Amino acid sequence: MHLQLISIVLILHCMEYTNCQQHASRHRPHKQSMSSGCQSGCLTCSEYNGCLSCKPRLFIFLERNGMKQTGVCLPSCPSGYYGTRSPDRNDCTKCRPECDSCFTGNFCTRCRPGFYLHQGKCLQTCPEGRVPSLAQRECVPECPADCDSCVNGDTCSRCAAGFFRLQGKCHHTCPEEYEPNELLLECIPQVHCEVDEWSEWSPCSRPGKTCGFKRGEETRTRKVIQTPSLLGHACPPTYEKRECVVKKKKCPDKRHRRPDRRNRNNRRDKENQEGRQERKKEREKERKVTGGGEWEDSESRNKTERRRRRGHTSRSPVSMEGGVEQ
């Protein structure tokens, strides 16, 4: 009885296999060909199914178009698939449903929305001590109150407002030798001013004078080679002066200028003399025009006037009684 049942099952199985082969032959009328007529990367292919095998180091990937699947050969698998290699062929295998991308079937690298990555697994709820990050789709460490984001519970990657990060810790006030940077929200080292060496003292001089002084001043300078930060040490003086004594240098003698003054006076005298000569010539012309008598009368009047003035100045002073001595 058992043998009869086994025989019937084998007969039915063979009939089904024969029908499948016939059905397959109806849907695959095209023969497979070598790479001469195939797409790039294909080792063997068919007109209906595309690539059937790929060249070495390429992965075969089945693209779905409705009910039809077409094989293509790729250098790496697309997102949502991972590559598996074997001596015969390299396949692209689909990741787990909760994985958006994965490295292997058991190690996700990014999760789909609603899941959070933790140690290669995509979880709907994060374990204790971690909180879900919607942006990263990961379970991130639960940060301290002064942290905005952190690498773990002890190391902050960004501080909350009003705090400044230093070596993974958030500080409300930066420690000594550090100062806050409002842009980076970090404690940065203070930068102190640095100056160059002093220059040589300048020659002894006195403002506004080049000679005729004994006491003057000397100056020297130095350059700033490092500008300080906001809270760094300020720069020391970069300019100094001191009093100095120098051998008095005589200024040029003023008497040297007298010849120039004398020359000017001589020019004036010469001009005056020329003017007098011109006036004399004009009087002579007038005398010729009016006649000699009038000129003699004018000359006599001038002499009389001069004598009168001399006589007036030679009079005796007034006496005590108010009279004048004759």
Side-chain angles (χ1 to χ4, degrees):
M1 185 67 183
H2 290 291
L3 292 175
Q4 290 179 352
L5 290 174
I6 292 172
S7 300
I8 293 171
V9 170
L10 289 174
I11 292 170
L12 293 174
H13 181 71
C14 291
M15 292 175 64
E16 183 179 359
Y17 178 76
T18 303
N19 291 333
C20 290
Q21 290 293 324
Q22 292 175 353
H23 180 75
S25 63
R26 286 197 303 269
H27 287 278
R28 290 187 179 92
H30 303 288
K31 296 181 179 180
Q32 69 179 21
S33 63
M34 300 302 291
S35 61
S36 59
C38 300
Q39 298 178 4
S40 176
C42 291
L43 185 61
T44 58
C45 62
S46 71
E47 183 179 353
Y48 184 81
N49 292 324
C51 295
L52 301 177
S53 62
C54 298
K55 293 180 180 180
R57 306 193 64 81
L58 296 180
F59 295 91
I60 187 167
F61 173 67
L62 297 178
E63 290 182 337
R64 183 179 293 276
N65 185 10
M67 297 297 295
K68 181 181 178 181
Q69 287 186 342
T70 304
V72 294
C73 294
L74 304 173
S76 61
C77 295
S79 179
Y81 292 80
Y82 66 96
T84 57
R85 296 184 183 274
S86 66
D88 297 332
R89 54 186 285 167
N90 303 324
D91 294 307
C92 287
T93 307
K94 191 172 180 60
C95 298
R96 296 172 65 89
E98 65 272 17
C99 290
D100 195 16
S101 61
C102 59
F103 183 70
T104 64
N106 296 321
F107 195 94
C108 296
T109 56
R110 182 173 175 81
C111 298
R112 295 187 181 278
F115 293 85
Y116 304 97
L117 185 66
H118 178 65
Q119 295 180 353
K121 304 292 184 181
C122 290
L123 309 175
Q124 288 184 312
T125 57
C126 293
E128 186 178 358
R130 291 184 175 268
V131 293
S133 170
L134 296 177
Q136 301 176 9
R137 298 181 194 172
E138 294 180 5
C139 293
V140 296
E142 188 175 4
C143 300
D146 52 7
C147 281
D148 193 15
S149 60
C150 54
V151 179
N152 51 52
D154 298 325
T155 306
C156 291
S157 57
R158 183 175 177 84
C159 295
F163 292 86
F164 304 94
R165 186 170 66 90
L166 177 64
Q167 297 177 353
K169 303 294 182 183
C170 293
H171 302 265
H172 185 68
T173 303
C174 293
E176 189 177 358
E177 293 298 323
Y178 289 88
E179 63 183 56
N181 185 300
E182 298 288 346
L183 182 62
L184 301 176
L185 296 179
E186 294 181 356
C187 292
I188 60 175
Q190 293 179 359
V191 179
H192 304 303
C193 180
E194 296 182 15
V195 294
D196 202 356
E197 297 292 333
W198 284 107
S199 64
E200 298 293 334
W201 286 102
S202 67
C204 189
S205 62
R206 190 166 180 175
K209 288 192 174 184
T210 58
C211 61
F213 66 91
K214 186 176 181 180
R215 294 184 179 276
E217 63 182 26
E218 297 173 329
T219 60
R220 65 176 182 175
T221 59
R222 56 183 173 182
K223 295 180 180 180
V224 175
I225 58 177
Q226 178 62 65
T227 305
S229 61
L230 184 63
L231 299 182
H233 296 163
C235 292
T238 57
Y239 173 84
E240 281 187 349
K241 66 178 182 178
R242 67 181 181 183
E243 293 185 353
C244 58
V245 179
V246 67
K247 185 177 180 180
K248 188 174 181 180
K249 180 182 178 182
K250 291 184 178 181
C251 293
D253 195 349
K254 296 181 179 180
R255 289 177 298 179
H256 293 170
R257 300 178 183 176
R258 288 181 181 175
D260 297 337
R261 192 175 303 164
R262 189 180 297 115
N263 292 335
R264 290 195 297 270
N265 294 335
N266 292 338
R267 285 195 296 270
R268 292 194 191 101
D269 294 342
K270 186 177 181 180
E271 291 173 357
N272 294 335
Q273 186 177 1
E274 292 175 352
R276 286 194 298 270
Q277 290 177 355
E278 290 178 358
R279 288 192 295 273
K280 185 177 179 180
K281 289 179 180 179
E282 290 177 358
R283 285 195 299 270
E284 289 178 354
K285 289 179 181 180
E286 292 176 357
R287 185 184 62 183
K288 291 178 181 179
V289 173
T290 59
E294 294 181 2
W295 183 77
E296 289 177 356
D297 293 339
S298 63
E299 285 293 327
S300 61
R301 285 196 298 271
N302 292 336
K303 289 180 181 180
T304 303
E305 181 67 23
R306 285 196 293 269
R307 283 196 299 271
R308 188 182 64 79
R309 289 178 182 176
R310 284 198 298 270
H312 179 74
T313 56
S314 62
R315 290 178 182 176
S316 301
V318 180
S319 64
M320 295 299 291
E321 288 81 5
V324 179
E325 294 184 4
Q326 297 297 328

